[in-house]
Amino acid sequence: MDKDCIIGRYLKLGNGLMTGKCITSDKNIKVRTCQVDSWCPIEQSRPPLNGITPLLLGTQDFTVLVKNSIEFPEFGVAYQRRNILESATNTYLQKCLYHPKTDPYCPTIRIGDIVNFANENYNNVGLTGAVFSIQINWDCSFDWGKTMKDCLPKYSFSRKDNPKAILSPGFNFRSAIYHEENRRTLTRNIGLKFIIEVEGEGRKFDSTKFILAIGASMGLFAVASSLCDKLLMLFCLLRKHFNLKWLDCYNEEMKQDLTYVHCAKDKRRSKDPSSKELDHMGAREKFEV
């Protein structure tokens, strides 16, 4: 009924503003729906070519030329390079194709290979589009006389979008060309999107930092020795205020001389009241009162 179609009302998943009229649906004459003011015809969410033939079929032999430059400014201005080898020529770039075993440093990559290296099927990708990541990893060590010529990239590939998505799967976007008032051409674009991700690490031995680390370690040993002495003095003080059996081995004589402390499991007193003896594993020390 017309009263259910409020003028100016819109639905979040609708296609425009209601005009206030209830009309027969153009899809099913048995159904009535609210008329809306929108672009005609209304866009329908369905795959191109009825979802049978991949829209991107035949593009797997296209190639992508990847260019990437890196630098390690902490080591100096000379530590910079790009992923194209210095020995590469125009003829080499025109003929080479990346392969992890036969040609791992060629920057020209076949689109079909990118999909295959990401463990995806090109026919399935060609129906809805997809987003792929090309990772370039620079793991470089400049020790033992190595230079930037020995710093070479490693490529890996993965798919970023969810191939099992039910709503709006793959990668697509819309673009419109406006001709005059109330007329436009809307195009839905389906394709492959490539994201270049670069990460790297450069390592080089630094003698100054090495010496500082050794000095800091030696200072840590001195602090540890002093800390142990302080803890032992604390145990001696606790023995005065608390009746702790596990502190009975610490007495005032040990507090005065902390160079050697050995707690005995079995403590026996001597008959001589002017002395105390500490026996442990056959070794006996005598502390005079």
Side-chain angles (χ1 to χ4, degrees):
M1 298 180 65
D2 291 345
K3 65 178 182 179
D4 297 326
C5 302
I6 303 174
I7 299 177
R9 183 183 178 186
Y10 70 94
L11 300 178
K12 292 184 178 179
L13 298 180
N15 296 281
L17 299 177
M18 296 182 184
T19 62
K21 296 181 181 181
C22 182
I23 62 175
T24 302
S25 174
D26 56 353
K27 295 181 180 179
N28 189 348
I29 60 176
K30 296 181 180 180
V31 177
R32 295 182 64 83
T33 183
C34 293
Q35 185 185 58
V36 296
D37 186 11
S38 66
W39 291 100
C40 296
I42 295 176
E43 182 184 358
Q44 299 179 3
S45 298
R46 61 184 181 185
L49 304 179
N50 296 323
I52 300 176
T53 303
L55 185 63
L56 302 178
L57 188 63
T59 59
Q60 60 265 35
D61 291 328
F62 292 179
T63 58
V64 177
L65 176 62
V66 180
K67 295 183 179 180
N68 170 232
S69 299
I70 63 164
E71 63 176 340
F72 299 98
E74 187 174 350
F75 300 147
V77 294
Y79 289 86
Q80 56 182 341
R81 68 161 305 160
R82 59 178 185 166
N83 61 322
I84 300 178
L85 300 179
E86 297 180 357
S87 59
T89 61
N90 291 332
T91 304
Y92 169 77
L93 292 179
Q94 292 175 359
K95 294 183 178 181
C96 78
L97 282 178
Y98 169 83
H99 192 277
K101 294 182 179 179
T102 59
D103 200 348
Y105 305 120
C106 176
T108 305
I109 310 174
R110 181 175 171 268
I111 293 181
D113 292 337
I114 296 177
V115 177
N116 294 332
F117 292 148
N119 299 320
E120 295 292 338
N121 184 278
Y122 199 87
N123 289 332
N124 296 334
V125 168
L127 291 173
T128 59
V131 180
F132 289 93
S133 171
I134 302 176
Q135 295 100 20
I136 306 177
N137 183 32
W138 299 83
D139 189 7
C140 306
S141 175
F142 303 114
D143 296 328
W144 308 105
K146 293 183 179 180
T147 63
M148 285 298 293
K149 293 183 179 180
D150 302 307
C151 182
L152 300 173
K154 292 183 179 180
Y155 299 90
S156 59
F157 310 89
S158 62
R159 184 173 179 176
K160 288 298 185 180
D161 64 303
N162 184 8
K164 299 181 180 180
I166 298 177
L167 297 176
S168 187
F171 173 72
N172 60 81
F173 62 94
R174 292 154 179 79
S175 60
I177 300 177
Y178 294 88
H179 304 283
E180 64 265 356
E181 187 177 1
N182 297 330
R183 192 171 77 91
R184 70 173 184 175
T185 300
L186 181 66
T187 305
R188 183 185 180 193
N189 304 279
I190 297 177
L192 301 178
K193 180 179 180 180
F194 300 108
I195 300 176
I196 310 297
E197 298 180 352
V198 182
E199 61 178 3
E201 180 182 7
R203 301 180 300 274
K204 187 177 182 181
F205 179 76
D206 191 332
S207 58
T208 303
K209 293 183 179 180
F210 177 74
I211 295 175
L212 292 176
I214 294 297
S217 300
M218 296 177 63
L220 182 61
F221 288 129
V223 173
S225 176
S226 177
L227 180 62
C228 291
D229 293 346
K230 297 296 183 181
L231 288 176
L232 186 56
M233 294 179 65
L234 177 62
F235 291 157
C236 295
L237 295 176
L238 290 176
R239 184 174 178 273
K240 293 182 179 180
H241 302 283
F242 302 97
N243 186 17
L244 301 178
K245 294 183 178 180
W246 62 279
L247 291 176
D248 288 346
C249 59
Y250 300 101
N251 51 31
E252 292 296 332
E253 287 78 5
M254 293 181 181
K255 180 180 177 181
Q256 298 298 329
D257 185 9
L258 301 178
T259 57
Y260 176 79
V261 178
H262 207 146
C263 297
K265 294 183 179 179
D266 298 325
K267 184 174 70 173
R268 295 175 297 178
R269 294 182 177 275
S270 174
K271 295 181 180 181
D272 186 359
S274 63
S275 65
K276 297 180 181 179
E277 295 182 355
L278 181 64
D279 189 9
H280 177 59
M281 297 179 63
R284 177 172 297 175
E285 296 185 4
K286 187 175 182 181
F287 300 90
E288 298 295 338
V289 179

